[in-house]
């Protein structure tokens, strides 16, 4: 779990300062975003023609809540993707890809 997500879990009152949402709003956003993500993945899987069984491949380094927090931190602070990558322990391109995926999904 990322340091920012740990900090938010331990200090609910600082959520507004870090990402621009109250803690309760964040929890509701996380639930709705995960639901949207699973719906999108199910739709993509239903259209995919598979030769090899699903379930393989590299697992993501960040959990879904961490990916959403990364997106919210970028929107709130407009930092570079390089710095976001360092903060969340991923590469600059992964931070960029993560932001673009979730930003489009949350619009």
């Amino acid at each position: 779990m990322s340091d920012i997500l740990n900090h938010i879990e331990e200090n609910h009152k600082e959520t507004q300062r870090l990402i621009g949402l109250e803690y309760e709003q964040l929890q509701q956003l996380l639930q709705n975003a995960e639901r949207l993500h699973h719906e999108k993945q199910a739709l993509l899987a239903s259209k995919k023609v598979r030769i090899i069984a699903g379930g393989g491949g590299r697992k993501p380094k960040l959990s879904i809540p961490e990916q959403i927090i990364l997106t919210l931190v970028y929107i709130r602070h407009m930092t570079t993707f390089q710095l976001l990558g360092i903060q969340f322990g991923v590469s600059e391109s992964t931070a960029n890809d993560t932001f673009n995926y979730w930003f489009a999904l949350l619009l």
Side-chain angles (χ1 to χ4, degrees):
M1 189 180 289
S2 75
D3 291 338
I4 294 174
L5 189 54
N6 280 335
H7 187 75
I8 288 172
E9 291 297 328
E10 293 171 3
N11 304 293
H12 295 211
K13 293 182 180 180
E14 292 192 25
T15 307
Q16 174 73 34
R17 289 178 57 206
L18 289 172
I19 59 172
L21 296 173
E22 295 293 333
Y23 183 76
E24 294 76 23
Q25 292 173 318
L26 173 63
Q27 293 305 312
Q28 191 166 19
L29 176 68
L30 290 174
Q31 290 175 354
N32 291 336
E34 282 196 54
R35 180 183 50 77
L36 286 172
H37 171 69
H38 292 303
E39 288 173 4
K40 182 176 181 177
Q41 294 303 313
L43 180 65
L44 291 174
S46 70
K47 293 180 180 180
K48 190 179 281 189
V49 177
R50 288 200 164 271
I51 297 172
I52 300 172
R58 187 178 65 82
K59 303 298 180 213
K61 283 188 172 182
L62 299 176
S63 66
I64 291 174
E66 289 173 320
Q67 293 176 30
I68 296 167
I69 296 293
L70 181 147
T71 303
L72 295 173
V73 167
Y74 179 80
I75 292 169
R76 175 76 172 177
H77 299 283
M78 293 304 232
T79 185
T80 64
F81 288 111
Q82 181 182 22
L83 188 55
L84 270 180
I86 292 168
Q87 287 176 323
F88 285 87
V90 295
S91 69
E92 180 179 355
S93 62
T94 299
N96 187 352
D97 294 344
T98 300
F99 169 77
N100 286 313
Y101 174 81
W102 285 103
F103 187 71
L105 192 66
L106 296 173
L107 280 182

